[in-house]
Amino acid sequence: MLKSFKTEINPTDEQKIKINKTIGTCRYVYNFYLCHNKSLHDKGEKFITGKSFSVWLNNEYIPNNPDKVWIKEAYSKAVKKSIEDGYTAFTRFFKHQSAFPSFKKKGKSDVKMYFVKNNPKDCRCERHRLNIPTLGWVRLKEKGYIPTTKDGWKIKSGTVSIKADRYYVSVLVEIPNVKIANNSKSGIGIDLGLKDLAIVSNGKTYKNINKSARLRKIEKQLRREQRSLSRKYENFKKGESTQKNIQKQKLKVQKLHHKIDNIRTNYINKTIAEIVKTKPSYITIEDLNVSGMMKNRHLSKAVASQKFYEFRTKLKTKCDDNGIELRIVDRWYPSSKICHCCGNIKKDLKLSDRIYRCDCGYVEDRDFNASLNLRDAKTYEIA
Ligand SMILES: [Zn+2]
């Protein structure tokens, strides 16, 4: 799983010059790529991809234009990424997802210096400093915010950006599969859903029990016994079955209903117990519009089978027992649409977008992003 962190850095003057130069080159090359495609288009020639442009730039253009050799002085991965960004902008335009890519203006546009871990020495992180390719060790303003390499977390890539003369780093960190809960003294957010029952901001996911092989098998059995019951009614009308037979079959169906209900309830109890055991200081959930969802006949069965109402009631009891504050966030809070990294709200996020991608470079599982936003929600009611 990948998690993203953004924090302010405190670069030396020398590092600041390098960052500014790199970002300047990235902006220049991005605009150059746009310009180049525009002129190709005007000449009636074919659009070129970011990759082909990179090759042309390095093997043809720069060797023939020695005054542009300074492009090569900048960190090549960052330059490449800015061309890729230009290509993505074009692709989005061609797919009618956004307007024609616009030129990046100095000081106005959000151009970032991308970096990526290429060898083991890159992207090491200590409590107070982070190793960034071509910059070396850069001081962090907030110590210990980014998980350190020692804890087994690996930084895969990141960006350096400037805003109002302040310097920021945003990194994508790979979280090892060990549980990070248990010692969490802080709060957690839980995103409840139909695909999975609960996605917790501590990294745990509780699947939808109704999709388990065990429950599916029993439900199949239930449908079979229900069919048999209606057959017995028919036969009874024809005088081919007895009242006693029907009673016996009814009992069979009831027992299966009970069995299914028990499995669902036990699963909820187990899930809540496990979450509460991590002893968070608070738990934030969304105020699901259960009754509204129940009115939707496409959803009602799936919603009923997830027992959201029971989940919330039991969670409340357990929280009270353990001194955990249960926070309820308004159902209009756009937990899924907020970028947990930069705070941008993605209005056009579709239900089918399982991965949340933000223009700031943040990439996260949709529901996990929502759970982080719930955890950090500032407006809530206490249940
Ligand atoms: Zn963002």
Side-chain angles (χ1 to χ4, degrees):
M1 197 168 64
L2 291 173
K3 202 171 179 241
S4 113
F5 294 86
K6 187 179 180 178
T7 191
E8 197 176 343
I9 49 176
N10 204 356
T12 61
D13 287 340
E14 206 185 325
Q15 287 170 332
K16 279 182 187 169
I17 293 169
K18 255 192 182 167
I19 295 167
N20 284 297
K21 231 177 132 180
T22 309
I23 288 179
T25 308
C26 287
R27 181 176 45 244
Y28 178 85
V29 171
Y30 179 96
N31 289 338
F32 188 23
Y33 175 58
L34 257 56
C35 224
H36 188 65
N37 262 322
K38 260 188 167 170
S39 64
L40 285 176
H41 179 262
D42 293 343
K43 282 188 271 176
E45 286 176 37
K46 257 182 82 187
F47 169 83
I48 64 165
T49 63
K51 275 209 177 80
S52 315
F53 179 78
S54 282
V55 172
W56 173 81
L57 183 76
N58 289 313
N59 299 347
E60 224 174 285
Y61 180 77
I62 299 177
N64 290 322
N65 294 273
D67 59 316
K68 294 293 189 308
V69 80
W70 51 268
I71 295 176
K72 286 229 168 202
E73 287 165 14
Y75 177 42
S76 65
K77 302 276 178 211
V79 175
K80 234 182 207 148
K81 179 66 166 52
S82 65
I83 299 172
E84 258 171 54
D85 287 344
Y87 180 60
T88 310
F90 271 121
T91 318
R92 286 181 60 83
F93 169 70
F94 293 142
K95 285 187 187 160
H96 306 288
Q97 289 168 334
S98 56
F100 192 83
S102 53
F103 291 102
K104 305 267 190 199
K105 292 188 195 83
K106 192 180 176 190
K108 270 191 174 174
S109 308
D110 207 9
V111 181
K112 292 171 177 140
M113 173 188 165
Y114 172 83
F115 60 88
V116 62
K117 186 187 176 88
N118 260 335
N119 66 65
K121 278 189 173 175
D122 294 339
C123 303
R124 277 167 299 157
C125 187
E126 292 174 6
R127 249 182 74 72
H128 63 295
R129 57 180 193 165
L130 168 69
N131 191 285
I132 299 177
T134 71
L135 297 179
W137 287 108
V138 180
R139 282 170 292 163
L140 300 168
K141 276 212 167 163
E142 193 180 338
K143 293 180 185 68
Y145 174 67
I146 301 176
T148 60
T149 316
K150 254 194 259 158
D151 302 328
W153 299 44
K154 283 193 192 93
I155 296 175
K156 310 285 283 182
S157 64
T159 54
V160 177
S161 56
I162 312 169
K163 202 167 194 178
D165 280 331
R166 286 166 181 263
Y167 291 75
Y168 298 89
V169 69
S170 170
V171 288
L172 266 183
V173 185
E174 193 181 67
I175 307 174
N177 276 337
V178 288
K179 235 175 52 187
I180 23 164
N182 271 336
N183 53 355
S184 74
K185 285 284 168 281
S186 52
I188 57 173
I190 307 176
D191 182 64
L192 295 169
L194 292 175
K195 187 178 156 270
D196 294 310
L197 169 68
I199 292 89
V200 189
S201 63
N202 62 14
K204 265 246 161 195
T205 295
Y206 296 90
K207 292 202 160 36
N208 183 342
I209 184 82
N210 298 299
K211 290 180 183 167
S212 69
R214 185 176 169 219
L215 254 189
R216 279 187 173 175
K217 207 177 135 199
I218 303 172
E219 286 209 270
K220 210 170 148 192
Q221 203 182 344
L222 172 67
R223 283 195 295 275
R224 204 166 48 228
E225 299 297 350
Q226 274 170 330
R227 276 197 302 273
S228 162
L229 178 63
S230 39
R231 256 197 321 274
K232 286 198 163 67
Y233 271 120
E234 291 300 314
N235 291 344
F236 178 69
K237 278 187 217 156
K238 288 186 233 158
E240 285 166 16
S241 187
T242 61
Q243 191 84 44
K244 206 178 155 195
N245 268 338
I246 290 177
Q247 275 313 324
K248 239 171 88 183
Q249 188 60 25
K250 256 189 177 171
L251 199 68
K252 251 188 194 170
V253 170
Q254 266 171 12
K255 273 189 176 161
L256 283 171
H257 270 301
H258 260 125
K259 199 169 170 182
I260 291 170
D261 196 67
N262 270 338
I263 292 174
R264 287 174 179 158
T265 302
N266 284 342
Y267 185 62
I268 281 182
N269 292 344
K270 207 186 111 208
T271 302
I272 293 174
E274 238 184 84
I275 294 172
V276 167
K277 221 165 70 186
T278 66
K279 296 212 178 302
S281 59
Y282 65 85
I283 295 176
T284 311
I285 58 169
E286 206 170 356
D287 187 11
L288 283 178
N289 180 10
V290 175
S291 53
M293 285 161 104
M294 292 294 285
K295 278 182 201 140
N296 180 334
R297 69 191 168 85
H298 299 292
L299 286 180
S300 61
K301 207 183 153 222
V303 172
S305 67
Q306 287 272 67
K307 291 175 167 270
F308 289 128
Y309 186 75
E310 192 175 331
F311 184 91
R312 180 170 157 177
T313 323
K314 284 187 165 158
L315 182 64
K316 167 83 178 110
T317 315
K318 278 277 171 192
C319 281
D320 286 347
D321 292 345
N322 291 275
I324 299 165
E325 187 176 280
L326 181 62
R327 299 176 175 180
I328 313 283
V329 159
D330 188 296
R331 79 177 69 122
W332 307 115
Y333 175 69
S335 55
S336 302
K337 293 182 179 170
I338 302 174
C339 168
H340 184 256
C341 178
C342 73
N344 185 41
I345 294 178
K346 194 169 182 167
K347 288 206 179 82
D348 60 353
L349 185 81
K350 289 189 285 292
L351 208 60
S352 55
D353 298 335
R354 299 313 309 169
I355 301 289
Y356 187 101
R357 277 173 217 282
C358 183
D359 293 338
C360 73
Y362 173 79
V363 181
E364 189 56 271
D365 171 77
R366 172 210 179 90
D367 298 325
F368 186 65
N369 177 56
S371 75
L372 293 173
N373 288 324
L374 286 168
R375 181 194 69 192
D376 297 342
K378 294 277 177 287
T379 337
Y380 50 80
E381 265 178 41
I382 295 171

